[in-house]
Amino acid sequence: MVDGAAGVEARVKDDFYPSTPECTAVLLPHIKDFPHRVWEPACGDGAISEVLHGAGYSVFSSDKIDRGYGDIHDFLYSENRPFKAIITNPPYGNGLAEKFIRKAFELGCTHVAMLLKADFWNSRRNGLFEQYPPDQILALDWRPDFLGKGRPFLNVSWSIWRPGTVETRFTRAHRP
Ligand SMILES: C[S@@+](CC[C@H](N)C(=O)[O-])C[C@H]1O[C@@H](n2cnc3c(N)ncnc32)[C@H](O)[C@@H]1O
């Protein structure tokens, strides 16, 4: 989000809020059980993909918008999945985050990590939570500066899904 006229918040075009490298770095110790071939289906300019590459993952990257990185592809129209694991910071506006979660499971993905607003699960999403309860919520103990303007505005958490979930665990990640 950016400050618009009269202090009204306006969203960045196409919800392009690139993750800072720390966002992905703190996830890594928590996904050691994930396959090493993963799909970043809303890759933007590769902010998450590059950290995953650096950590030894093989990453297939795609985005609806051509940002000079990865394949150009609308995730919500995917009919096949390149890999069973997804790691992304999806678009949030217009219910897109929920659509991304549902699509990931419709495609048969088994291991999924999505960076979501910290209050994503607080209201309105009972049906989604009951159908697809995350195994783990990993709350970042700082606000990432998505726009690089020195005014971070959003608390975020990783929601992590994996097979065999019994009950959702709440954990916290310290800024590296
Ligand atoms: C919040 S940004 C995050 C970008 C990247 N995942 C990161 O963490 O830096 C969301 C991205 O989703 C992309 N996006 C929006 N709708 C999409 C769709 N239907 N399919 C694929 N990508 C989409 C946007 O172009 C944007 O790059």
Side-chain angles (χ1 to χ4, degrees), residues 14-19 40-45 47-48 62-65 67 73-76 88-91 96 100:
D14 297 310
D15 260 9
F16 183 48
Y17 298 94
S19 302
E40 214 298 26
C43 66
D45 61 3
I48 289 179
S62 56
D63 198 290
K64 180 180 169 180
I65 308 292
R67 303 189 191 283
H73 176 69
D74 188 327
F75 175 66
L76 298 176
T88 192
N89 167 9
L96 282 170
F100 262 63

Side-chain angles (χ1 to χ4, degrees), residues 11 47 78 89 140 144 153:
R11 299 196 67 83
S78 302
N89 167 9
L140 275 53
F153 53 88

Side-chain angles (χ1 to χ4, degrees), residues 5-169:
V8 176
E9 300 274 315
R11 299 196 67 83
V12 168
K13 186 168 173 356
D14 297 310
D15 260 9
F16 183 48
Y17 298 94
S19 302
T20 61
E22 294 88 2
C23 293
T24 311
V26 297
L27 176 68
L28 295 176
H30 296 273
I31 55 164
K32 288 185 175 162
D33 59 321
F34 270 44
H36 265 62
R37 296 193 301 177
V38 302
W39 183 13
E40 214 298 26
C43 66
D45 61 3
I48 289 179
S49 302
E50 285 297 303
V51 176
L52 292 173
H53 270 306
Y57 289 83
S58 170
V59 187
F60 177 76
S61 302
S62 56
D63 198 290
K64 180 180 169 180
I65 308 292
D66 184 357
R67 303 189 191 283
Y69 193 97
D71 280 21
I72 316 304
H73 176 69
D74 188 327
F75 175 66
L76 298 176
Y77 288 91
S78 302
E79 292 182 353
N80 303 299
R81 53 169 162 72
F83 299 132
K84 282 186 173 178
I86 280 182
I87 299 175
T88 192
N89 167 9
Y92 297 162
N94 300 320
L96 282 170
E98 175 160 351
K99 287 180 184 166
F100 262 63
I101 294 165
R102 291 189 177 282
K103 185 69 188 181
F105 291 108
E106 282 165 24
L107 288 170
C109 292
T110 55
H111 296 72
V112 177
M114 294 208 194
L115 191 67
L116 303 170
K117 291 191 282 189
D119 66 354
F120 182 79
W121 295 110
N122 284 48
S123 62
R124 296 191 295 121
R125 297 199 172 89
N126 292 352
L128 181 68
F129 189 84
E130 279 159 23
Q131 192 172 1
Y132 302 116
D135 184 67
Q136 184 180 358
I137 306 283
L138 180 65
L140 275 53
D141 75 352
W142 79 99
R143 291 180 174 178
D145 188 2
F146 291 105
L147 296 178
K149 292 186 172 178
R151 288 183 291 121
F153 53 88
L154 196 63
N155 292 306
V156 291
S157 303
W158 284 102
S159 284
I160 305 170
W161 292 263
R162 52 171 59 87
T165 296
V166 177
E167 196 166 294
T168 304
R169 289 176 294 131

